[in-house]
Amino acid sequence: MDQLKISSNSANAPLSFWDDSYAQPYFDNSTKRDITVTIGQTATLQCRVRNLGDRAVSWIRKRDLHIMTIGILTYTNDQRYQALHTEGSDEWSMRIASAQPRDSGVYECQVSTEPKISQAYRLNVVVSKAKILGNHELFVKSGSDINLTCVASQISSPPSFIYWYKGGRVVNYSQRGGINVQTDRNTKTSKLIISRATLGDSGNYTCAPSNSDASSILVHVISGGEHQAAMKHGNNSANSLFSLSKCYRIRDCSSTPWRLLQSLKSSTIALLCCLIAFNSFFTIR
């Protein structure tokens, strides 16, 4: 008679279902072992143990080897921690309410076999902060559109809402026409579009998701004349610097740096560049 051979899908799994009562416990690795939550959220570490038998499951905090739970009992004065288990199930979980950064770290789910077996779980408690894309200041020409995009990063679940404020007041559709807010909770993104901006639309704008720190940006709406003046000033500075660099290359203008220095007094950046070039000129000569 041929000998019956039994194979196993896992080195730690029982050889057959007839031997369950005699098999060693093993971990079901289908549970998530790297958990990230934001401050104030509830974190749940789920440990699933097969063939537990009469052994006990404990949760250990790795950094100080503190026993947090054994079975359904909790062994810490911090009431935010709680052991969770449904009778008859293979899941032995630990829940941490209102998670804080100090709760971050490695926790071990440990089974009282001989020798003991354990499985590590990492908890990350992060500070979620919204971010308005771009620089901290935005300059918009009068009549153009203000287009702001806010992203709520490092959050495990979509925000319930994302509010936009101007100053201390919620941006209201009824305040003026041409205001459009587009929020996508799945991508944790919100866009504020203000059409045909006027000088009155200048101010501090804030994006405030329900579960993240807010982010702000200062918007300047400038008239066409101011825009042209700014461009002209930039061109004049650029032309002065070009003349200085040309003079430096030919090395034939001993007094020119002084004249350029006097003509660029209104621009701090140009002044610094002139002094550097002037020093280098005489050093080389």
Side-chain angles (χ1 to χ4, degrees), residues 195-222:
S195 301
R196 301 179 298 279
T198 66
L199 299 181
D201 292 318
S202 297
N204 189 71
Y205 287 82
T206 300
C207 165
S210 61
N211 54 354
S212 298
D213 289 348
S215 176
S216 298
I217 185 173
L218 187 58
V219 176
H220 305 273
V221 181
I222 58 178

Side-chain angles (χ1 to χ4, degrees), residues 6-20:
I6 300 174
S7 61
S8 171
N9 293 328
S10 171
N12 296 324
L15 294 177
S16 74
F17 63 88
W18 289 288
D19 297 326
D20 280 355

